Amino acid sequence: MGKIQAVTPENFFEDDIFSDKRSLNIELLGHIRAGNYTERTDAEVAVALLRLAHDELEAYGTSGTERTDENGIRLILRTIRILLQRLGVPLELPFSDYRTFRSHWMANDAYGSWQARRDILNELLEPVHLKLARLEDLELESTLARPITNHPGTGWSLVDAEINEMRRHFGMARSAQDYRNIGNDCVAVLERLSEALFDSELHLKKGEQVPPVANTKLRLGKFVEHTASGTTNAEIRKMARAAIELAQAVKHQSEPTRRHAGIAADSVILLANILRRLAEE
């Protein structure tokens, strides 16, 4: 499909070297089903692929001008089912190809009526079109949190560099692997905070060993205990621990989503700015 402004039904076709026609890109559909196509999100692909299926089924049921054969429409519908399962959007179709679609309309009083066949498709597919459009809109609107502060950053250059990289990666993330890597970015931010904030002379008791930088939970926890001690700051300490654990959890999830990765990244960004406020006092 390449780098395109928007995914359209035409992007699922490729030039046929043996004719002047374009044929369905079977290999691309296989990559989409396997989750190996990462240039676009599942929502973006599903919007266009469902429109293609709708157009092809309507053409078959009315004008007979469909571009795909029986095997092609079967693969399209199979790919849509897998995409929708990944997106958590329910769709139960009473047919799986042209032949079973015809059997369905014959059994539902659509014999001899093109409009009745269009109505059947609209009733089944329009609610899903709307849900997918909303999902795509939410993805476009989805950005990481911006702290309420006049500071251009945290003031720790290495921390700010990691946060900026995380923002960049999140903007380009499309697959479960990409979202898992956001977890890695979260951990990198925490480690930079660990380097910037932990002071063994201030934060360790006599006889305690200096924990490694990667032990962010312990090192940042020691910092928070020192700077936000007492019962009035209990919620701050609890929030700091939760943000650290959330970042680690996304890193180790087998199938993290954009929601999981975004929440973890938001938490780490907000944690970094809360720790900055604690360090200033």
Side-chain angles (χ1 to χ4, degrees), residues 114-134:
W114 290 355
Q115 186 57 51
R117 297 168 201 173
R118 293 190 187 97
D119 291 342
I120 287 172
L121 288 174
N122 287 335
E123 183 177 352
L124 290 168
L125 300 180
E126 281 303 325
V128 186
H129 285 304
L130 293 174
K131 288 180 182 178
L132 288 175
R134 181 57 183 154

Side-chain angles (χ1 to χ4, degrees), residues 135-168:
L135 273 179
E136 188 178 24
D137 289 344
L138 288 173
E139 286 186 347
L140 292 173
E141 294 167 3
S142 177
T143 56
L144 296 182
R146 296 282 179 182
I148 302 174
T149 176
N150 293 325
H151 290 260
T154 64
W156 301 302
S157 60
L158 295 179
V159 172
D160 290 335
E162 294 292 353
I163 289 176
N164 289 337
E165 275 298 284
M166 182 169 65
R167 290 187 186 279
R168 186 175 67 83

Side-chain angles (χ1 to χ4, degrees), residues 50 77 80-81 84-85 89-94 124-125 128:
L50 186 64
L77 293 175
I80 287 171
R81 284 195 298 272
L84 294 181
Q85 285 173 2
V89 176
L91 174 63
E92 293 293 334
L93 290 179
L124 290 168
L125 300 180
V128 186

Side-chain angles (χ1 to χ4, degrees), residues 178-228:
D178 293 334
Y179 299 136
R180 193 179 307 117
N181 284 333
I182 299 300
N184 294 330
D185 288 340
C186 289
V187 172
V189 174
L190 293 174
E191 290 182 354
R192 293 303 190 188
L193 286 167
S194 171
E195 292 174 337
L197 293 169
F198 181 77
D199 184 332
S200 59
E201 293 185 3
L202 289 175
H203 305 143
L204 287 182
K205 297 177 182 178
K206 186 176 181 180
E208 287 184 327
Q209 296 294 316
V210 178
V213 170
N215 193 342
T216 54
K217 185 175 181 179
L218 179 58
R219 287 168 66 102
L220 293 178
K222 291 282 189 182
F223 168 80
V224 172
E225 288 172 7
H226 179 80
T227 57

